[in-house]
Amino acid sequence: MNATRQTPDRPDLNVCVCANLRRATRMVTQAYDAALKPAGLRATQFTMLSVLAGRGRMRQSDYAEFLGMDGTTLTRNLQPLLKKQWIRIDRDDDKRVRLISITRPGQRVLDKAVPLWRTVQSQFVKGLGTEQWAGLLGALATTLDIARAD
Amino acid sequence: MNATRQTPDRPDLNVCVCANLRRATRMVTQAYDAALKPAGLRATQFTMLSVLAGRGRMRQSDYAEFLGMDGTTLTRNLQPLLKKQWIRIDRDDDKRVRLISITRPGQRVLDKAVPLWRTVQSQFVKGLGTEQWAGLLGALATTLDIARAD
DNA sequence: TCATGAAAGATGTATATGCAATTAAATTTG
DNA sequence: CAAATTTAATTGCATATACATCTTTCATGA
């Protein structure tokens, strides 16, 4: 009985949490990117716009924290959205702070993307089944907690 | 009773399979990168070397397939490893094919990285617990199957 | 008040990712 | 056998990711 051996002598794609996450993320992102393509945005951009649509104007730092994204990554990820004028950046009274919000064109492209998202999303949810799906979200939340506790 | 509602009206970071995967992967990769830093390699590079160490010389296309990585991504990801001479690329009789293998220096840096990997890996395995850990790997395998079936 | 330190973002550099299109080599087919 | 097709890998372009470092602005305390 050695079915749940946890740290084998050999590091192995089959057990490495990071390698498994990265591989799955690559493939899943390809699927979401392809599905969202007719709307003209990528998976990351869809997520970023959804957050703004759901939560309203946010401080850039809170936005990064919520996305679990490094601040410098967020700075750069804002650029494609800005160029397409899907978001706007306002200054706060505190001149260091930037406030990010979705624009009307941003909301329109998001609305156009939602049905496409729903299709690809339900493909994965159905394929996983309720149990594995809930398990996945739970496990991902746990890994987030572990990483954030570092 | 609506605890397992699967496709809400609003796309939401809290349910999007892709967004959750990407966010968790960002944070987990940061942890693995930091842990492996003393050995001088990144999480992706560690994975790529591990695969070569475990499976021996591989055709580049098989290598990409195994990693669930687009061929063009693999082409570029080989470059940092080549520059550091951790891998070598040989030609096949079929002149289109490239055969990738790990070098002695590559094996040495990998050996140095393994204990570091073991530490960070066990941190996540312990934090998840046996059940969630197995569930995570299972669910990731399922998402891979779904994405590959496209 | 002003020096000091902390907080918020941006920049330099490097890696990671993949689609569209291309090049080169092998295979199939007329 | 020659043309057409398929296969393997690379290149052009764009996005995604983050560490180290820098600039700007604010808060704080002697």
Side-chain angles (χ1 to χ4, degrees):
Chain A
M1 299 269 146
N2 200 8
T4 54
R5 186 157 158 258
Q6 297 191 5
T7 21
D9 294 331
R10 283 286 207 69
D12 183 347
L13 243 187
N14 293 129
V15 297
C16 180
V17 174
C18 185
N20 273 278
L21 272 173
R22 291 187 68 84
R23 179 169 53 179
T25 298
R26 280 192 293 269
M27 302 291 290
V28 169
T29 299
Q30 280 181 54
Y32 277 73
D33 276 351
L36 294 173
K37 185 151 204 170
L41 40 63
R42 312 271 230 88
T44 300
Q45 300 172 346
F46 178 80
T47 301
M48 289 176 67
L49 291 183
S50 297
V51 169
L52 290 180
R55 300 172 58 99
R57 197 163 70 159
M58 295 178 82
R59 284 168 153 252
Q60 188 170 317
S61 54
D62 293 341
Y63 193 22
E65 160 71 17
F66 188 76
L67 291 165
M69 194 178 278
D70 185 89
T72 70
T73 300
L74 181 56
T75 292
R76 291 175 217 265
N77 286 358
L78 291 176
Q79 299 314 309
L81 303 182
L82 252 185
K83 198 179 314 177
K84 295 184 180 92
Q85 307 196 349
W86 292 339
I87 60 167
R88 47 175 296 173
I89 305 184
D90 296 300
R91 311 296 292 252
D92 191 77
D93 286 341
D94 182 338
K95 295 302 187 190
R96 292 170 302 181
V97 173
R98 267 115 180 116
L99 300 169
I100 317 296
S101 47
I102 190 170
T103 61
R104 280 176 181 283
Q107 186 64 59
R108 270 198 296 275
V109 74
L110 181 58
D111 290 343
K112 204 172 125 196
V114 167
L116 306 174
W117 170 79
R118 218 186 293 285
T119 301
V120 64
Q121 167 79 2
S122 72
Q123 181 188 349
F124 280 93
V125 172
K126 284 202 186 91
L128 282 163
T130 306
E131 197 178 337
Q132 257 195 335
W133 182 64
L136 177 59
L137 293 187
L140 293 179
T142 304
T143 62
L144 219 59
D145 289 342
I146 299 169
R148 283 193 157 128
D150 265 351
Chain B
M1 297 265 142
N2 200 8
T4 55
R5 187 157 157 258
Q6 297 191 5
T7 21
D9 293 332
R10 283 284 209 72
D12 182 347
L13 242 188
N14 294 128
V15 298
C16 180
V17 173
C18 185
N20 274 277
L21 272 173
R22 292 188 68 83
R23 180 169 52 178
T25 298
R26 281 193 292 268
M27 302 289 292
V28 169
T29 300
Q30 281 182 52
Y32 278 73
D33 277 350
L36 295 173
K37 185 152 204 171
L41 40 63
R42 313 272 231 90
T44 300
Q45 300 173 346
F46 177 81
T47 302
M48 289 176 68
L49 290 183
S50 298
V51 169
L52 290 180
R55 300 173 58 98
R57 198 164 68 160
M58 295 178 81
R59 282 168 153 255
Q60 188 169 317
S61 54
D62 293 340
Y63 193 22
E65 161 71 17
F66 188 77
L67 290 165
M69 194 180 278
D70 185 271
T72 71
T73 299
L74 182 56
T75 293
R76 293 174 218 265
N77 286 358
L78 291 175
Q79 299 315 309
L81 303 181
L82 252 186
K83 197 180 315 177
K84 297 185 179 89
Q85 308 197 347
W86 291 340
I87 60 166
R88 47 174 297 172
I89 305 183
D90 297 301
R91 310 295 294 250
D92 191 78
D93 285 342
D94 183 336
K95 295 303 187 190
R96 293 170 302 181
V97 172
R98 270 120 180 110
L99 300 170
I100 318 296
S101 47
I102 190 169
T103 61
R104 280 176 180 283
Q107 186 64 60
R108 271 197 295 276
V109 74
L110 181 59
D111 291 343
K112 203 172 125 196
V114 167
L116 305 174
W117 170 79
R118 217 186 295 285
T119 300
V120 65
Q121 168 78 2
S122 72
Q123 181 188 348
F124 279 94
V125 172
K126 285 201 185 90
L128 282 164
T130 306
E131 197 178 336
Q132 256 193 337
W133 181 62
L136 177 60
L137 293 186
L140 293 179
T142 305
T143 61
L144 219 59
D145 289 342
I146 299 168
R148 284 191 158 130
D150 266 351

